[in-house]
Amino acid sequence: MTLPDWNSLATQADETLPLLETALLIARDEYPQLDADLYDTLAQSHAEHLRPEIEAIEAWPLKMAAINRHLFDELGYSGNHDEYYDPRNSYLNEVFERRLGNPISLAMVQMEVARRLGVPLDGVSFPGHFLVRLPVDDGLLVMDPFNGGRPLGVDELRERAKPHLGGDIPDDNALLHILDPASHRAILIRILRNLHGVYAEREEWDRAARSADRVLKLAPDQPEALRDRGLAYLHIDHRHGARHDLTRYLQLAPEAPDAHALHERLVELNAGGAARMH
């Protein structure tokens, strides 16, 4: 398996952006000796073990139940409830090896295996926890990979969305919109934003800056990533980079809630003398 080059991703269409390969590229930042072929082979072995059973089943929900049973019950993939914010939960090599992850990384394993078996499983950038969805005859089968692939009913989905919608319960149209499939780019950006949040909380500012920088490799000029990288640069005293990113953020999001405070920071930064490069 050949991993993509970071500098090629911004211009690549969402539908051709390789999900597994780019997720492993993210992991290689932290694990430079990562062997991508090992994890490609592991995902394929999971699929091949299931293939005879899946091919003998006709109904999509029953195919998916067999996949979930193998991944979560037999192989032991599970949500890391005890150490939810461990960064290893976001690195796919660690998820394959430890069989522990967060919602989005477990969804990626689930999607990778299902798709290799011809099951069109998609990710859902649901507020709160990432989910997966499968089209079925009468609508959508929505599942929670963090909790063993458990199917979720409409009422539970509404309740899960409610706290993220100002307390409003979404109607059918709003819920369907929330359940739209997430693009590969959106999935990868969400992984990186999770990593940025973990590293910022731990005050590991070099890794926080790196995570925001990788978002910008996927989506140049994304305002939040520019802000996040600029603030991380401030912490590691890369003032030239901080000045550039925060200036660009304010150009792109002049009405943002934090715009005034960051403008003040930028005034202080510009008054602080010449930038020092690190």
Side-chain angles (χ1 to χ4, degrees):
M1 170 185 283
T2 301
L3 299 187
D5 179 81
W6 278 113
N7 294 322
S8 72
L9 298 178
T11 57
Q12 195 153 346
D14 282 355
E15 59 270 17
T16 63
L17 193 64
L19 190 57
L20 178 66
E21 291 92 328
T22 310
L24 290 172
L25 185 65
I26 290 169
R28 197 172 66 181
D29 280 336
E30 189 67 18
Y31 303 90
Q33 304 306 314
L34 179 149
D35 180 359
D37 288 332
L38 173 65
Y39 305 106
D40 179 48
T41 300
L42 189 55
Q44 190 64 23
S45 72
H46 293 347
E48 291 308 320
H49 176 88
L50 280 161
R51 193 173 300 281
E53 180 181 4
I54 298 304
E55 289 180 349
I57 298 171
E58 289 194 14
W60 290 117
L62 297 180
K63 287 178 186 279
M64 202 62 235
I67 293 169
N68 288 341
R69 184 168 58 250
H70 182 57
L71 290 177
F72 299 113
D73 297 340
E74 297 170 8
L75 294 178
Y77 284 95
S78 63
N80 193 347
H81 293 265
D82 294 333
E83 296 180 295
Y84 187 83
Y85 295 105
D86 187 328
R88 291 178 294 178
N89 296 332
S90 290
Y91 291 121
L92 210 55
N93 59 320
E94 289 279 10
V95 178
F96 274 119
E97 290 182 13
R98 301 168 72 229
R99 299 191 178 172
L100 276 175
N102 57 25
I104 195 166
S105 63
L106 291 169
M108 289 188 63
V109 173
Q110 202 181 9
M111 290 162 59
E112 192 65 30
V113 172
R115 288 173 173 184
R116 290 178 187 223
L117 292 165
V119 178
L121 192 65
D122 281 317
V124 176
S125 280
F126 203 82
H129 281 186
F130 198 85
L131 303 174
V132 294
R133 53 167 271 173
L134 179 71
V136 292
D137 290 341
D138 55 349
L140 291 174
L141 173 62
V142 181
M143 292 161 283
D144 180 358
F146 194 63
N147 290 290
R150 183 173 69 84
L152 302 175
V154 171
D155 290 341
E156 183 172 354
L157 289 167
R158 291 192 206 280
E159 284 301 316
R160 285 189 177 209
K162 181 179 171 181
H164 305 278
L165 300 173
D168 294 332
I169 297 177
D171 61 19
D172 289 349
N173 288 335
L175 187 59
L176 279 173
H177 179 68
I178 293 170
L179 292 171
D180 279 346
S183 70
H184 287 185
R185 193 178 308 274
I187 293 171
L188 294 161
I189 287 173
R190 186 158 170 166
I191 291 170
L192 288 162
R193 290 191 62 79
N194 286 345
L195 281 167
H196 171 269
V198 167
Y199 288 134
E201 181 67 24
R202 293 176 171 214
E203 298 186 358
E204 295 182 31
W205 297 112
D206 54 342
R207 288 183 167 93
R210 181 184 71 196
S211 301
D213 177 74
R214 293 319 197 189
V215 172
L216 292 165
K217 292 291 189 184
L218 287 161
D221 273 351
Q222 193 198 62
E224 292 80 5
L226 283 163
R227 177 200 61 202
D228 291 345
R229 189 176 67 176
L231 291 173
Y233 280 164
L234 275 179
H235 283 282
I236 58 177
D237 203 28
H238 179 12
R239 287 189 280 174
H240 176 77
R243 182 182 294 114
H244 172 274
D245 284 356
L246 296 179
T247 299
R248 184 66 181 142
Y249 171 69
L250 292 172
Q251 289 171 346
L252 293 170
E255 304 301 322
D258 57 0
H260 179 73
L262 288 179
H263 178 74
E264 295 298 316
R265 295 285 295 273
L266 197 55
V267 169
E268 293 172 7
L269 186 61
N270 287 331
R276 288 185 287 161
M277 296 297 289
H278 293 268

